[in-house]
Amino acid sequence: MSARELKFQHAERAPSCVMVIFGAGGDLTKRKLIPAIYHLAQEKLLSEKFAIVGFDHADLDTETYRRRFDAEIKEFLGDEYDQQRWDNLVGRFYYAQGDFKDPAAYARLGELLSKVDMEQHTEGRYLFYLATPPSFFGEIATQLGNTGLTKEDEAHWRRIIIEKPFGLALASARTLNKLFHDAFNEDQIYRIDHYLGKETVPNILAYRFTNSTVEPIWNRRYVDHVQITVAESLGVEDRAVYYEEAGALRDMVPNHLLALLSVIAMEPANSFEADAIRDEQTKVLRAIQPILPEQVLTEAVRGQ
């Protein structure tokens, strides 16, 4: 059984909610987010009371936004595309046009969310997903907080998801954390790395921790060294604006590759709960010897 099948076998159906995607016209949304949501619907893990609101600067309306995905989605779903299932999902798409820095756009977003709640019975639960360049993260969090869209109670939760890279360095990461904490409680904030969702990664955990032959020798006494290879078939494509800002090294090494390293080198957690696994990953990261600027030439090799 694959990691995906194993994951879905024990997964619970998601509660009713609206997923608001900032950067709804970008590469991440069409290549990763919408196909992932489609697969959840395919496995009957989405609530029937679910909707997507796309937020972006392009001058579109809801019908145009739906037609755009109709035209593009087959490329990313391939043989798994089913017309009836897709029609049921895309009929729950909405679009909000606006600038990420414009307070009036967030007021319009709030009005649209109230409309979606009434039409799709999503019960005031909102999941904000930031599929934008990192420079907009703090601005969006602040604007959501100012508009009151981050306030929650027992019946109406609010969550925000940020993909790495998170800040440019330690100082900017701390500044960004403060902006998020001004608008959200810590348990509302999810900082994720989508590489940890790749099928090979949970397979590593299953292979190691459920294998009585492998687990006893998965340590420094028997392992000489580890190489992590990230072989991408996709080029920069239309993501030049993002790479000019973040840089390829920052995009890959401080988040994706260190996240994979922490999974490979972690000690067994006392459970497969998220917090327990995170604690063990954190121990790995704290154990890595920092490289001082003057040591880079002797402790690291960089190629292009």
Side-chain angles (χ1 to χ4, degrees):
M1 181 178 292
S2 71
R4 177 181 164 187
E5 292 170 327
L6 184 63
K7 176 172 62 178
F8 286 151
Q9 183 183 36
H10 301 289
E12 297 180 3
R13 174 175 278 200
S16 58
C17 74
V18 182
M19 182 176 182
V20 182
I21 302 177
F22 290 88
D27 187 79
L28 176 63
T29 300
K30 66 183 180 182
R31 289 184 182 275
K32 300 294 184 181
L33 299 186
I34 300 303
I37 292 166
Y38 176 89
H39 290 138
L40 290 175
Q42 184 181 42
E43 301 295 334
K44 298 181 173 57
L45 293 176
L46 274 188
S47 170
E48 291 300 319
K49 301 175 182 178
F50 174 80
I52 291 174
V53 171
F55 187 112
D56 216 327
H57 58 81
D59 188 11
L60 305 174
D61 58 20
T62 290
E63 288 305 317
T64 307
Y65 185 62
R66 292 174 179 178
R67 288 197 299 271
R68 174 175 289 187
F69 270 104
D70 269 334
E72 295 178 342
I73 198 62
K74 292 181 183 178
E75 176 186 352
F76 303 109
L77 292 179
D79 295 339
E80 296 189 345
Y81 178 81
D82 178 88
Q83 185 69 55
Q84 184 176 355
R85 183 176 293 114
W86 171 249
D87 288 344
N88 180 56
L89 181 61
V90 78
R92 292 182 266 169
F93 283 23
Y94 297 79
Y95 186 79
Q97 189 276 332
D99 188 290
F100 296 142
K101 298 182 179 181
D102 180 13
Y106 292 82
R108 295 194 299 271
L109 173 62
E111 294 171 1
L112 177 59
L113 287 172
S114 296
K115 175 186 175 183
V116 174
D117 280 335
M118 293 180 61
E119 293 182 358
Q120 302 293 341
H121 310 289
T122 44
E123 303 177 15
R125 301 186 183 111
Y126 306 147
L127 170 65
F128 303 108
Y129 198 112
L130 274 54
T132 69
S135 57
F136 289 114
F137 287 179
E139 180 70 36
I140 293 171
T142 299
Q143 296 285 1
L144 288 172
N146 291 343
T147 314
L149 289 171
T150 66
K151 295 179 181 177
E152 61 179 2
D153 54 40
E154 291 184 3
H156 308 104
W157 50 254
R158 309 290 158 87
R159 304 284 187 267
I160 189 165
I161 296 178
I162 316 106
E163 288 226 29
K164 299 176 183 178
F166 190 81
L168 298 176
L170 180 59
S172 57
R174 285 174 170 166
T175 299
L176 194 52
N177 261 330
K178 184 180 185 307
L179 291 174
F180 274 94
H181 286 145
D182 288 343
F184 293 88
N185 296 323
E186 176 60 30
D187 61 2
Q188 294 177 273
I189 304 169
Y190 290 76
R191 306 168 188 83
I192 70 167
D193 190 312
H194 65 256
Y195 263 63
L196 297 185
K198 289 181 177 290
E199 194 165 309
T200 303
V201 179
N203 276 345
I204 289 173
L205 292 175
Y207 174 75
R208 175 185 173 184
F209 293 128
T210 64
N211 192 320
S212 60
T213 302
V214 172
E215 170 56 22
I217 60 173
W218 194 291
N219 57 58
R220 63 184 177 85
R221 295 186 184 89
Y222 302 100
V223 178
D224 181 80
H225 70 283
V226 175
Q227 295 185 22
I228 302 175
T229 302
V230 183
E232 293 276 7
S233 59
L234 187 67
V236 173
E237 310 296 332
D238 57 358
R239 298 176 292 169
V241 172
Y242 168 74
Y243 276 112
E244 285 292 337
E245 179 183 311
L249 189 145
R250 184 181 288 116
D251 176 59
M252 293 300 299
V253 176
N255 46 82
H256 296 325
L257 298 190
L258 281 182
L260 291 174
L261 171 63
S262 68
V263 169
I264 292 169
M266 64 180 272
E267 292 299 315
N270 57 19
S271 76
F272 277 99
E273 295 296 320
D275 286 352
I277 293 177
R278 179 205 61 196
D279 290 345
E280 294 303 328
Q281 288 178 275
T282 301
K283 291 177 184 178
V284 174
L285 298 177
R286 286 175 174 164
I288 296 174
Q289 182 177 352
I291 299 177
L292 300 175
E294 58 270 22
Q295 295 176 310
V296 169
L297 294 177
T298 56
E299 301 294 330
V301 177
R302 181 181 178 185
Q304 182 175 346

